[in-house]
Amino acid sequence: MTQAVLLDIKNLSVGFRGGQDQFVSILRNINLTVHAGETIGIVGESGSGKSSLAFAAMAYFKSGLEAQSGQVVFNGQDLLQENDSAVQKIRGGAIALIPQNSGQALTPTMRIGEQISEVLQLHSRYRPEQFRDRTIALLGQVRLPEPGILIDRYPHELSGGQQQRVAIAMALAGEPELMFLDEPTTGLDVTTQAHILKLLKDICDERKTAMVYVSHDLGAVAQVCKRIVVMYAGQIVLDGSARDVLQSPAHPYPRALLKSITRLSEATIPQALEGRPPMPGIVPAGCAFADRCMAAQDRCRTEQPRLVKLANGQTTRCFYPEEPKLNAARGTTRPAELDPDSFASQSDTLLAIENLSLTYARPSLMDQIMGRPPQGVPTVDDITLGLARGETLGLVGESGSGKSSILKALAGLLPFADGKLIFDGTSLSRRGTEDRDRAHLKMIQLVFQNPDDSLNPRQTIAQILAQPLNLYFDLTTAQVRQRSEELLEEVRLGPRYLERLPSQLSGGEKQRIAIARAFAADPQVVLCDEVTSALDVSVQAAVLELLRNLQRKRGTAFVFVSHDLAVVRALSDRVAVLYQGRLCEIGTSQAVYQAPFHPYTEALVHSVLEPDPDFSPRVLADDIVELGPPAQGCAFQRRCPKHIGEICNTTFPPWQKSRDGHSIRCHHSLAALADGFTDEEQPYA
Amino acid sequence: MREGAGHSAPDSKLLGFWHVMKSMMSRPSGLIGVILVLLHVTIAVISPEIVPYDYKKISNILMLSAPDSSHWLGTDQLGRDVLTRVLMGGRQAIFVTAIATPVAVMWGGFLGIYLGLVGGRKDDVMMRIVDALLSLPWILKMLLLIVTFGTGQTVLIPTLAFFYGIPVIRIARVATHDVVSRDFIQAARARGHSLISIIFVELLPNVRDALLVEGAMRWSWMLLAFSSLSFLGFGATPPNPDWGLMIADARGFLVVAPLAGLAPVFALSTLIIGINLTADALAKTLGVDRARKASPA
């Protein structure tokens, strides 16, 4: 590296003071050098200290945290020694931060232009009368359409992707030499994420700005960064070039992490990384990762490894950096693909959804008087799906696609405007849970996205599991207890968890409890709403594995909703793709993930990131605000890269059935949709 | 930083009674508050046994006498011992409010949770009624009931419990709103639990802390209200010793015998301060944000 050193973090330890004058470290002895123009990714699980490191590198500490030792030298200045006003001059100027959730980082009552002008005023050489032109130029640089109009908009008038672009423009306004990005694409839709990553990459290339990209997502880091630093339990455990770290990491933690990622290219549930990192403040005698490491030796548990530079250029904190030869197999393969025709007959349909339509519009006074349903374009419309016994049906789509709304309607939490819901031959009421009888409620159970929210914080695990058991079954207290213990065994937790509270459990454990609660009712259908997206990558695989094992054992059917195409593929027999509350494509997961594609599916599939330095997503659909589904024509008409013309805007496209048994709703012929994909080029066949 | 983030303090553990007490007493303000409250309650219970004189014994020799070794705080305008009357003066106030406060918190809390859970038109209508009742000055609405039904504990307790339950509705409703949108309530609804079961099993444990703190605050408001009523002549009846009544009686002789009026003022204020300090410490211990949730009486 011939470039000048921009930021030099020396022996930095950060933590908070606990009781009895203890110092609980969040970061321990961090040494990190960032050269001018360098792009570094900092990856690790939640709690690994990666965000704290990024903030500490700006000499910013969340309340309670403080630097215990070390230096943060930026351009020759030790930021930890400077006073606040000196550091604030640098922050937002030469060092910029792009936060995770720009929607919250932007002031809602200020126009975009004013917010950027503030930065210009503080950190640039421009005069006030130049601010407007400069702001428009910046908005253009981050490729926002019509910057002259956008400058007078308020943040809420922009889409999530556009807000993120504004945040990037704000960071660029101070003409930074170094940018910190804190999970900048987490929470964005996949197609938007691909846009933002491409933009960041181009900014790096054009402006030669150094970038520190903090993310849990190895796929995103692989797109932008040349160098990757892996954090674990507040320490750097591996530091090397992106290519080396992603392809042959010299530390067992990133190795296990890479194996635990669901990939679109492989329809398997990956190998889970069990366990959890040590709690902050607990400094193990040996290697912090030893408890979860498959190759751990006795020495790993008694002696702390130090960072060592290897011949291959990687710096690792491991005694045995070579990958052990055993355990070469990756994941467990799925059972043979089901014959697509087996569902064509729908002879064993457990749950049939016919022409389901949902609306969030409130009935107007006129509607109430006339006793008619609310007028207007329904949020979700014309959904016809069948779920066979023991089958997994995946619903994919971006935010606003209506996938969670459909799930809520199935669970009876949302009354639907039109259509039918037939469970095992019985038509379920349109109005929801109050009108369903207990036997039907028992048969359909729901698992939510975020276990922090779906488990009552004031109930012990025993109380939580007793809820469905007492409601649906006539059991004695002892039987409830016994059943709860069995359920805990089934989700591989064990009876010792019974007396704990949800807050004493890790995210993965909490989700297992939520799954156990759903299965306590002995349901025939379990509705899974983004069950893995609130979890760490390393935990996701274990939860997927658990769901599949339970399904095999109990013969339960799943409706599996996710925005993550790779996760859906790993678990689903059939997949339905939704856009703006309308079905685009449905078929076996094998068929849906290969050509012919619906143009929207194609855009989605190509936006998915792989943790591979040679992979780059293809950006097909524009990232614009979709306010609501169009009243007529194809739902995807406004963003479709293959838009034909008038027919797409006026006529609802027909279903077309392909030879491999999957159906696409598009005006293009199947041949045209398959065009451009030769057999060799099938992206994920 | 997704998983595990966003825990508020009370989520992290279920606090037992002794744990809460210990944690409250570890704050200086909490320690003073708890000691003051316990002292007052103890005196109220045991005072008939320890007071040196009969509280209603009148003497025409000792009227408005200065403190001396036999009457530490002097005597009042009827020659009664002030110390005796001050020690016993909190009995009725504490007794009435100790019954009315839990009743107020219970009915107001339950209605508030119910309205927060069902929402919709019922909520709209009820809350407008609550607003209307809260907009009236408290003394006016209480006097209205007392004048109609007469004084005495059988009227006072229900009246206090009724009017002081109304602000509790608001508190409980707001606390419920914070919880009701969370997925575990949705999960209980999806399973088909009854409304009552959702209220008691899922909601109440999460709203309980806010109600406890609110109850402590209501208690101090109610004590003041009772004393004010006594002061005006609608609370305790003579010759019963009561702080409000004593202040009213001694008003005319403050220059001659200041202690006859100041002693009950001191007694009442120490109790109110003690309750307020306790409520504050309780709020901090339980992690209830009182600044946000408190509402005027």
Side-chain angles (χ1 to χ4, degrees), chain B residues 207-230:
Chain B
V207 178
R208 192 196 61 194
D209 291 350
L211 287 182
L212 275 177
V213 173
E214 184 61 17
M217 287 311 297
R218 286 302 133 204
W219 188 24
S220 84
W221 284 100
M222 230 186 249
L223 271 167
L224 275 177
F226 180 84
S227 299
S228 309
L229 287 173
S230 297

Side-chain angles (χ1 to χ4, degrees), chain A residues 510-524:
Chain A
K510 275 184 262 195
Q511 197 59 289
R512 283 166 193 267
I513 298 290
I515 291 168
R517 179 174 64 182
F519 276 91
D522 205 10
Q524 289 187 6

Side-chain angles (χ1 to χ4, degrees), chain B residues 136-143 163-164 224-226 228-229 297:
Chain B
L136 292 171
W138 66 270
I139 197 91
L140 214 81
K141 48 196 182 193
M142 295 234 199
L143 284 180
F163 285 115
Y164 281 83
L224 275 177
F226 180 84
S228 309
L229 287 173

Side-chain angles (χ1 to χ4, degrees), chain B residues 23-42:
Chain B
S23 168
M24 272 166 63
M25 310 270 267
S26 70
R27 300 165 191 278
S29 61
L31 184 69
I32 297 171
V34 170
I35 288 176
L36 281 175
V37 172
L38 285 179
L39 189 72
H40 270 287
V41 172
T42 314

Side-chain angles (χ1 to χ4, degrees), chain A residues 354-367:
Chain A
E354 289 174 11
N355 300 313
L356 184 79
S357 147
L358 291 168
T359 180
Y360 281 103
R362 281 199 160 193
S364 65
L365 188 65
M366 199 58 200
D367 295 335

Side-chain angles (χ1 to χ4, degrees), chain A residues 399-418:
Chain A
S399 55
S401 63
K403 52 195 193 306
S404 291
S405 302
I406 294 173
L407 218 55
K408 278 194 176 140
L410 298 185
L413 289 171
L414 196 67
F416 46 98
D418 203 8

Side-chain angles (χ1 to χ4, degrees), chain A residues 216 413 433 438 441 445 448 452-459 467-468 471-472 501 503 507 517 533 535-536, chain B residues 1-4 7 10-12 14 182-184 186-187 189-193 201-202 205-206 208-209:
Chain A
H216 70 283
L413 289 171
T433 48
R438 195 155 282 179
L441 289 169
Q445 292 289 317
F448 290 86
D452 279 329
D453 217 40
S454 67
L455 303 179
N456 193 333
R458 291 308 181 88
Q459 289 176 351
Q467 294 301 317
L471 183 70
Y472 299 126
L501 289 167
S503 52
R517 179 174 64 182
S533 46
L535 303 175
D536 261 317
Chain B
M1 296 296 289
R2 293 160 304 161
E3 119 187 15
H7 283 307
D11 280 18
S12 50
L14 282 192
R182 295 183 63 179
D183 283 341
F184 62 84
Q186 296 281 313
R189 279 189 166 158
R191 281 197 302 269
H193 285 284
V201 179
E202 307 285 346
N206 287 287
R208 192 196 61 194
D209 291 350

